[in-house]
Coordinates of all heavy atoms in Angstrom, one line a residue:
N1421 N 12.4 15.0 -14.1 CA 11.5 15.4 -13.0 C 10.1 15.2 -13.4 O 9.7 15.4 -14.6 CB 11.7 16.9 -12.7 CG 13.1 17.2 -12.2 OD1 13.5 16.6 -11.1 ND2 13.8 18.0 -12.8
S1422 N 9.3 14.6 -12.4 CA 7.9 14.4 -12.7 C 7.1 15.3 -11.9 O 7.4 15.9 -11.0 CB 7.6 13.0 -12.3 OG 6.3 12.6 -12.4
N1423 N 5.6 15.3 -12.4 CA 4.7 16.0 -11.5 C 4.3 15.2 -10.4 O 3.5 15.7 -9.5 CB 3.6 16.4 -12.5 CG 2.8 15.2 -13.1 OD1 3.4 14.2 -13.2 ND2 1.5 15.4 -13.3
H1424 N 4.6 13.9 -10.3 CA 4.4 13.1 -9.2 C 5.7 12.5 -8.7 O 6.5 11.6 -9.3 CB 3.5 11.9 -9.6 CG 2.1 12.3 -10.1 ND1 1.2 12.8 -9.2 CD2 1.5 12.1 -11.2 CE1 0.1 13.2 -9.7 NE2 0.3 12.9 -11.1
M1425 N 6.1 12.9 -7.5 CA 7.4 12.6 -6.9 C 7.6 11.1 -6.8 O 8.6 10.5 -7.2 CB 7.6 13.3 -5.7 CG 9.0 13.0 -4.9 SD 9.1 14.0 -3.4 CE 7.7 13.3 -2.4
L1426 N 6.6 10.5 -6.1 CA 6.8 9.0 -6.0 C 6.9 8.3 -7.3 O 7.7 7.3 -7.4 CB 5.5 8.6 -5.1 CG 5.5 7.1 -4.5 CD1 6.7 6.9 -3.6 CD2 4.2 6.8 -3.9
A1427 N 6.1 8.7 -8.3 CA 6.2 8.0 -9.5 C 7.5 8.2 -10.2 O 8.2 7.2 -10.8 CB 5.1 8.5 -10.5
S1428 N 8.2 9.3 -10.0 CA 9.4 9.6 -10.5 C 10.5 8.6 -9.7 O 11.4 8.0 -10.3 CB 9.9 11.0 -10.2 OG 11.3 11.3 -10.7
W1429 N 10.4 8.5 -8.5 CA 11.3 7.6 -7.8 C 11.1 6.1 -8.2 O 12.1 5.4 -8.4 CB 11.1 7.6 -6.3 CG 11.3 9.0 -5.7 CD1 12.0 10.1 -6.2 CD2 10.9 9.4 -4.3 NE1 12.1 11.2 -5.3 CE2 11.5 10.7 -4.1 CE3 10.3 8.8 -3.2 CZ2 11.3 11.5 -3.0 CZ3 10.1 9.5 -2.0 CH2 10.7 10.8 -1.9
A1430 N 9.9 5.8 -8.4 CA 9.6 4.4 -8.8 C 10.1 4.1 -10.2 O 10.7 3.0 -10.4 CB 8.1 4.1 -8.8
S1431 N 10.1 5.2 -11.1 CA 10.7 4.9 -12.4 C 12.0 4.8 -12.4 O 12.7 3.9 -13.0 CB 10.3 6.2 -13.3 OG 8.8 6.3 -13.5
Q1432 N 12.8 5.5 -11.5 CA 14.2 5.5 -11.4 C 14.6 4.0 -11.0 O 15.7 3.6 -11.3 CB 14.7 6.5 -10.5 CG 14.6 7.9 -10.9 CD 15.7 8.3 -12.0 OE1 16.8 7.7 -11.8 NE2 15.4 9.1 -13.0
S1433 N 13.7 3.4 -10.1 CA 14.1 2.1 -9.5 C 14.2 1.0 -10.6 O 14.7 0.0 -10.2 CB 13.1 1.8 -8.4 OG 11.9 1.2 -9.0
Y1434 N 13.6 1.2 -11.7 CA 13.6 0.1 -12.8 C 14.9 0.2 -13.8 O 15.0 -0.6 -14.5 CB 12.3 0.2 -13.5 CG 11.1 -0.3 -12.7 CD1 10.4 0.5 -11.9 CD2 10.7 -1.8 -12.8 CE1 9.3 -0.1 -11.2 CE2 9.8 -2.2 -12.1 CZ 8.9 -1.5 -11.4 OH 8.0 -2.0 -10.7
I1435 N 15.5 1.4 -13.7 CA 16.6 1.6 -14.5 C 17.7 0.6 -14.6 O 18.0 0.0 -15.7 CB 17.2 3.0 -14.4 CG1 16.0 4.1 -14.8 CG2 18.4 3.2 -15.3 CD1 16.5 5.5 -14.5
D1436 N 18.2 0.2 -13.4 CA 19.3 -0.8 -13.4 C 18.9 -2.1 -14.1 O 19.8 -2.6 -14.8 CB 19.8 -1.0 -12.0 CG 20.3 0.2 -11.3 OD1 21.0 1.1 -12.0 OD2 20.4 0.4 -10.1
G1437 N 17.7 -2.6 -13.8 CA 17.4 -3.9 -14.3 C 17.2 -3.8 -15.8 O 17.6 -4.8 -16.5
L1438 N 16.7 -2.7 -16.3 CA 16.5 -2.5 -17.8 C 17.9 -2.4 -18.4 O 18.1 -3.1 -19.5 CB 15.7 -1.3 -18.0 CG 14.3 -1.4 -17.6 CD1 13.5 0.0 -17.7 CD2 13.4 -2.4 -18.6
L1439 N 18.8 -1.7 -17.9 CA 20.1 -1.5 -18.4 C 20.8 -2.9 -18.5 O 21.6 -3.3 -19.5 CB 21.0 -0.6 -17.6 CG 20.6 0.9 -17.6 CD1 21.5 1.7 -16.7 CD2 20.6 1.5 -19.0
R1440 N 20.7 -3.8 -17.4 CA 21.3 -5.0 -17.5 C 20.7 -6.0 -18.6 O 21.5 -6.9 -19.1 CB 21.0 -5.8 -16.1 CG 21.8 -5.3 -15.0 CD 21.8 -6.3 -13.8 NE 20.5 -6.3 -13.2 CZ 20.1 -5.6 -12.2 NH1 20.9 -4.6 -11.8 NH2 18.8 -5.7 -11.8
H1441 N 19.6 -5.7 -19.1 CA 19.0 -6.5 -20.2 C 19.3 -5.8 -21.6 O 18.7 -6.1 -22.5 CB 17.5 -6.6 -20.0 CG 17.2 -7.7 -19.1 ND1 17.2 -7.4 -17.7 CD2 16.9 -9.0 -19.2 CE1 16.7 -8.6 -17.0 NE2 16.6 -9.6 -17.9
G1442 N 20.2 -4.7 -21.6 CA 20.6 -4.1 -22.8 C 19.7 -3.1 -23.3 O 19.7 -2.6 -24.5

Side-chain angles (χ1 to χ4, degrees):
N1421 294 301
S1422 171
N1423 61 332
H1424 294 296
M1425 180 178 63
L1426 191 60
S1428 179
W1429 295 350
S1431 295
Q1432 291 284 327
S1433 75
Y1434 285 89
I1435 292 176
D1436 290 336
L1438 292 167
L1439 293 178
R1440 283 195 296 270
H1441 283 85

